[in-house]
Amino acid sequence: MRHTKDIRSGERILFETKPRFFMYLKSAVIKFIALLVIIFIFEPVVSLVASIQNYIIKYIHVPLVEATTLILFFLMLILILWIIWDILSWEYTTYTLTNYRVILEKGIIRKNKSYMHYDKIQDVNVSQGLIERLTSSGDISVYGGHENTRIILNDIPDPTKVEDRINQMIEGDYITEKSTGPKKIKDSVMDRYDKKFKRY
C-alpha cells in the first residue's frame, strides 16, 4: 500500500491497513441515495414544471423546463463527482504501524503524513458506536505528550487488536514473523533510549 521510500533505515512495517470501506464511505452512501432519488423524480419533476410553465407562459416567459433540467443534471453531476472524490479519499488513506511509530497518510491532491513515535504516546483511546461494533470497526485516538497532539485513525478495522499492537509496542512486547516461526521480542522504548544515550 505504501512506498518503501517513506520507511526509514532500520524501520520495519509491522501492520498496515486502510479504513473499513463501508464505514469510511458513509457520506458517499448518503450521496448515492440522494443521486438515486434525483434520478427517480427527474421525469415527474420535469413534467410538473412543464405543466406549470404552460399555465404561466401566458403571463411571463420563463424557460422553467430548461432551467429545471439543467439544475437536476448539475446536482447529479456534483453528487457523482463527490462520490468519486470520497472513494479516492479512501483509496489514498493508509494506517501503518512500524517498529518505531504510528503513521497516518492521506490526501489525494496534497499528501498529508502524520506520525507519532511510541515513546511520545501518552494515551490510546478506542471509540465504537453501535454500527461500528457490528462492522468490527472504530476510531483510535493516539494522544502525544504535547498539548492537543493526537492522531486519529478513523474507521479502522478491528480497533481493539490495533490498540493491543500499539500498547505492545509501547511496552516493548511484540511478535515478529521469521522463517523459524513467530518470536517474541523484548525491545521497549526505554531500552532503545538507554542503548542510544548510554555512556561507556
Side-chain angles (χ1 to χ4, degrees):
M1 294 181 192
R2 300 181 61 243
H3 300 292
T4 54
K5 65 180 181 180
D6 296 327
I7 299 299
R8 300 171 180 175
S9 177
E11 187 174 19
R12 291 177 289 108
I13 295 176
L14 304 177
F15 177 76
E16 187 173 34
T17 189
K18 302 181 77 59
R20 183 74 75 190
F21 184 81
F22 177 77
M23 294 303 299
Y24 190 81
L25 297 176
K26 293 186 293 287
S27 62
V29 172
I30 295 172
K31 293 163 196 167
F32 182 72
I33 293 172
L35 178 63
L36 292 179
V37 170
I38 292 174
I39 293 172
F40 181 76
I41 67 172
F42 188 92
E43 186 176 347
V45 168
V46 172
S47 299
L48 177 63
V49 171
S51 63
I52 293 174
Q53 179 172 282
N54 290 334
Y55 177 75
I56 68 171
I57 200 169
K58 300 175 183 177
Y59 309 101
I60 184 171
H61 295 282
V62 180
L64 290 178
V65 175
E66 292 84 352
T68 302
T69 303
L70 287 174
I71 290 171
L72 290 176
F73 270 122
F74 181 74
L75 288 175
M76 290 167 61
L77 179 62
I78 292 296
L79 287 171
I80 291 170
L81 292 176
W82 207 346
I83 291 169
I84 293 173
W85 180 270
D86 288 342
I87 294 173
L88 288 175
S89 177
W90 172 82
E91 178 63 30
Y92 284 89
T93 300
T94 306
Y95 307 139
T96 307
L97 303 183
T98 73
N99 53 326
Y100 291 120
R101 54 188 174 154
V102 179
I103 304 172
L104 163 61
E105 286 185 275
K106 61 182 179 179
I108 302 171
I109 298 175
R110 181 175 181 178
K111 181 179 177 181
N112 295 308
K113 181 177 179 180
S114 304
Y115 61 87
M116 189 177 298
H117 289 85
Y118 296 114
D119 59 349
K120 302 295 184 184
I121 297 175
Q122 297 294 319
D123 192 19
V124 180
N125 181 49
V126 176
S127 175
Q128 283 184 293
L130 177 60
I131 297 178
E132 290 172 322
R133 289 198 297 271
L134 292 174
T135 57
S136 187
S137 62
D139 302 334
I140 295 181
S141 299
V142 181
Y143 296 90
H146 298 290
E147 186 177 358
N148 297 325
T149 303
R150 68 172 177 169
I151 294 177
I152 302 177
L153 312 178
N154 289 309
D155 303 308
I156 192 167
D158 300 318
T160 53
K161 291 183 180 179
V162 177
E163 179 193 22
D164 289 341
R165 285 181 181 236
I166 294 173
N167 287 326
Q168 286 172 359
M169 290 305 303
I170 294 172
E171 296 168 3
D173 298 321
Y174 60 97
I175 303 297
T176 57
E177 296 292 336
K178 293 189 176 182
S179 58
T180 56
K183 181 180 180 182
K184 188 171 182 179
I185 305 297
K186 186 71 176 178
D187 184 22
S188 69
V189 172
M190 290 307 297
D191 288 340
R192 289 192 214 127
Y193 181 87
D194 289 341
K195 290 177 184 177
K196 184 175 181 180
F197 295 102
K198 186 177 180 180
R199 296 180 180 177
Y200 294 95

